[in-house]
Amino acid sequence: MSRMKKILSVLFVLFIVGSLYGQSSKVISQILEEDEISLGQLCYLSVVYQGLANEDVNFKDAINILYERGQIPYAAYETNGVALINLAFVYSQIWDIKGGLMYRITNGSPRYALRQLKSDGIIPSRYDPHRMVSGSEALDIFTACSLKYQKK
């Protein structure tokens, strides 16, 4: 990892830690270092940010919370990697994204959630929907969504 990328990553981590209401910096640091973010880590970010659980929630419980709320279609194993299309879907459940016609008709289906995030400039349009997402990419996208969609 280049020196500049490390510096930017540290800045993102500081922003994320602050925006996640004091969430455990250990978990954020762990996510940042991952080559592939796991479903458990992604759900952890989502439930803590939404205030559905405190920062002590484990990954399995975070998955179950989102599943019970209908924010993920099924409860998979917590160490499964996350493809970009699924990351976009989980993130689209966090914020009130207006979206285009197809996004609204399909209630923000994964396909149209990803298309909306690409259209809004959050995710580069050239990215493959089935590409596995690293921890630092997931946090970068989380930060961009937070800046774009969070109510002021």
Side-chain angles (χ1 to χ4, degrees), residues 34-61:
E34 295 292 334
D35 290 333
E36 284 185 9
I37 190 169
S38 71
L39 180 63
Q41 292 167 329
L42 177 63
C43 291
Y44 177 90
L45 286 173
S46 180
V47 299
V48 172
Y49 185 81
Q50 292 181 74
L52 303 174
N54 64 33
E55 64 188 50
D56 297 328
V57 68
N58 65 45
F59 295 157
K60 185 175 183 176
D61 288 342

Side-chain angles (χ1 to χ4, degrees), residues 99-150:
L101 180 62
M102 290 305 293
Y103 177 82
R104 289 189 307 268
I105 288 173
T106 63
N107 293 319
S109 72
R111 175 184 175 159
Y112 291 105
L114 178 60
R115 289 181 79 172
Q116 188 61 48
L117 294 184
K118 285 182 174 183
S119 173
D120 289 342
I122 303 291
I123 297 173
S125 60
R126 68 182 183 282
Y127 280 15
D128 178 10
H130 302 289
R131 173 181 185 270
M132 301 307 279
V133 181
S134 73
S136 63
E137 288 173 318
L139 290 174
D140 289 347
I141 295 168
F142 183 95
T143 302
C145 286
S146 179
L147 292 171
K148 174 98 176 155
Y149 304 121
Q150 187 166 347

Side-chain angles (χ1 to χ4, degrees), residues 10-83:
V10 168
L11 291 175
F12 279 123
V13 168
L14 291 175
F15 177 78
I16 295 297
V17 168
S19 69
L20 293 176
Y21 310 112
Q23 184 179 65
S24 171
S25 61
K26 179 182 174 186
V27 174
I28 298 295
S29 296
Q30 176 191 17
I31 292 171
L32 188 60
E33 295 173 2
E34 295 292 334
D35 290 333
E36 284 185 9
I37 190 169
S38 71
L39 180 63
Q41 292 167 329
L42 177 63
C43 291
Y44 177 90
L45 286 173
S46 180
V47 299
V48 172
Y49 185 81
Q50 292 181 74
L52 303 174
N54 64 33
E55 64 188 50
D56 297 328
V57 68
N58 65 45
F59 295 157
K60 185 175 183 176
D61 288 342
I63 292 169
N64 289 331
I65 290 168
L66 291 187
Y67 175 70
E68 289 168 6
R69 291 182 57 87
Q71 291 187 13
I72 56 174
Y74 55 89
Y77 194 62
E78 65 220 47
T79 59
N80 287 2
V82 177

